Amino acid sequence: MAVAVIGKKPITQGFRLIASHIDCPRLDLKPNPLYEDMGLALLKTQYYGGVKKYQWVSRPLALCGTISRGDGSVVDVEMGLKPDEPVFTIPDLLPHLARKQMEQKASEFIPGESLNLIVGSTPYSSEETDERVKLKVLELLQRKYNITEEDFISAEIQVIPAEPARDAGMDRGLIAGYGQDDRACAYACFTALLDTVNSEHTAIAIFFDKEEIGSEGNTSAQSRFLEMFLADLMENTGTEPSSGNLQKAFFCGRALSADVAAAIDPTYADVYEKRNDAKLGYGIALKKYTGRGGKSQASEANAEYTGWVRRLLNSKGVVWQAAVLGKVDEGGGGTVAKYLANMGMETIDCGPPILGMHSPLEVSSKDDIWMCHRAFKAFFGS
Ligand SMILES: [Zn+2]
């Protein structure tokens, strides 16, 4: 999705764009998910994005998504998020019988094919059929959503943590909740756009999908969607959306790649670089570059643009910190920044530091998210 506030200057003189992504690491249902085994109905899943599989067992889970029915109609599905609704779960093996499991590596002791979600346990009333527990689940789905088993094939259903976000810490300074990578940025970006009026440049908030699996496909940052959106804006503001004008706009455009940063976790301090990594509660983290090792796959903002952003934040009293992603040889990662930069825009990564990133319960600081809102607002108004 993209939203814009039209500015005073024509788009060919540049724009202010903030890109976040609204997909999160999770489990997806497979195309043929439903089966019955030992008197239980289960759903087969496939994990999406960088997850530690063992974090998804023994916790309350919900189902969310969209199903395209056989007749072409579409229905949204949501089960397990409201407090009075049933939840789903993937039980872990009891410790009494887990001797072999406990000897395996963390990446292997919950194999992908073991992420099977329990969704039913009571049989359908007729005794004349097999798989009566599965049939009962199908009956309930038919009644609630008017869907058949084949409809799962044309569905996008995500298995996500069922708990709501909560205040965390005795002082309530933190937020513990699922999906803050990157919805913390998406939220702050949207609230900043709502606060943007009479800006010099057109302000654009774009919310990408598929970032967690490498920005692939027609809803991702590598798609032509932004180009189409810009052409649309030009057409509606009296500028010919020629390829020359689009080029000009992109090369005069300024962007923030709004994505979370890794906050130093004091318990695992040895993988961080304490002089350069982000700290929770120290403001929005500016990441001049991402990537891994010798800046492989990095998108790096140049000195001038980094300086411009720094001065902008300082002039508006926004609390910020510089950040990298851990020790050089520990790992690394990327964002959508390089795809924006490839189109010609000046681009820098920024966002709130997060503890427990990509886990079902990520932790952020309220102060940092407030600073993101203020930074994004300053940027849109620049
Ligand atoms: Zn992210």
Side-chain angles (χ1 to χ4, degrees), residues 43-331:
L43 292 171
K44 297 288 300 175
T45 70
Q46 178 148 359
Y47 54 95
Y48 171 99
V51 303
K52 287 175 157 179
K53 285 170 282 180
Y54 63 81
Q55 292 176 337
W56 290 79
V57 297
S58 299
R59 57 184 313 132
L61 297 166
L63 292 171
C64 265
T66 298
I67 298 175
S68 173
R69 298 190 189 99
D71 65 1
S73 59
V74 169
V75 61
D76 286 340
V77 169
E78 191 197 289
M79 283 182 278
L81 289 180
K82 296 196 186 81
D84 60 334
E85 280 180 334
V87 293
F88 312 95
T89 193
I90 301 167
D92 195 3
L93 189 57
L94 66 169
H96 315 65
L97 298 177
R99 188 178 54 80
K100 280 199 206 115
Q101 185 199 40
M102 298 292 272
E103 285 164 6
Q104 283 173 286
K105 288 200 297 184
S107 60
E108 287 161 11
F109 74 78
I110 304 288
E113 294 301 342
S114 299
L115 293 171
N116 302 320
L117 192 71
I118 295 185
V119 292
S121 61
T122 54
Y124 184 68
S125 51
S126 159
E127 284 183 17
E128 279 146 41
T129 103
D130 297 337
E131 303 200 312
R132 289 161 60 208
V133 180
K134 173 179 165 181
L135 199 61
K136 176 85 179 179
V137 168
L138 282 171
E139 187 208 8
L140 291 169
L141 285 171
Q142 208 266 334
R143 232 191 286 155
K144 187 162 187 197
Y145 295 113
N146 192 21
I147 57 164
T148 64
E149 188 172 7
E150 195 184 282
D151 292 335
F152 276 120
I153 292 172
S154 50
E156 283 184 299
I157 301 184
Q158 311 174 356
V159 183
I160 58 167
E163 313 98 329
R166 304 273 297 268
D167 284 358
M170 294 193 189
D171 52 8
R172 295 181 172 254
L174 305 174
I175 300 169
Y178 166 70
Q180 297 193 74
D181 175 6
D182 186 31
R183 290 165 184 168
C185 289
Y187 172 76
C189 174
F190 190 63
T191 56
L193 191 81
L194 293 179
D195 278 0
T196 300
V197 278
N198 295 325
S199 58
E200 287 296 308
H201 294 93
T202 291
I204 303 170
I206 189 161
F207 307 93
F208 285 120
D209 187 19
K210 301 287 192 278
E211 193 273 346
E212 297 294 357
I213 57 167
S215 295
E216 304 292 347
N218 64 357
T219 54
S220 76
Q222 285 197 80
S223 74
R224 310 284 294 269
F225 173 65
L226 176 58
E227 201 178 314
M228 194 211 66
F229 185 72
L230 265 197
D232 237 23
L233 285 181
M234 283 183 180
E235 217 166 81
N236 283 292
T237 51
T239 303
E240 167 75 16
S242 63
S243 62
N245 278 341
L246 277 167
Q247 283 289 47
K248 220 188 267 177
F250 274 126
F251 277 81
C252 297
R254 293 187 173 191
L256 298 181
S257 163
D259 209 340
V260 298
I264 298 180
D265 186 332
T267 307
Y268 301 99
D270 51 326
V271 300
Y272 297 93
E273 208 270 80
K274 65 177 189 221
R275 289 180 187 83
N276 279 286
D277 273 325
K279 292 205 279 285
L280 217 55
Y282 281 65
I284 183 171
L286 269 190
K287 294 162 280 177
K288 188 172 182 295
Y289 57 87
T290 54
R292 57 184 70 234
K295 297 195 178 177
S296 162
Q297 305 278 305
S299 178
E300 180 156 14
N302 58 49
E304 292 85 348
Y305 187 55
T306 309
W308 179 81
V309 173
R310 179 165 75 103
R311 286 189 295 278
L312 174 70
L313 300 186
N314 284 342
S315 73
K316 300 287 181 187
V318 177
V319 180
W320 62 275
Q321 55 184 323
V324 297
L325 179 50
K327 279 187 180 156
V328 176
D329 292 331
E330 276 310 326

Side-chain angles (χ1 to χ4, degrees), residues 5-51:
V5 174
I6 307 293
K8 291 177 203 151
K9 292 188 175 161
I11 296 167
T12 43
Q13 288 181 32
F15 53 80
R16 301 290 181 256
L17 175 128
I18 303 180
S20 57
H21 67 91
I22 47 177
D23 61 320
C24 308
R26 61 178 191 250
L27 309 179
D28 284 336
L29 294 195
K30 288 193 185 188
N32 261 318
L34 184 61
Y35 67 102
E36 175 174 335
D37 201 356
M38 304 280 172
L40 292 172
L42 300 111
L43 292 171
K44 297 288 300 175
T45 70
Q46 178 148 359
Y47 54 95
Y48 171 99
V51 303

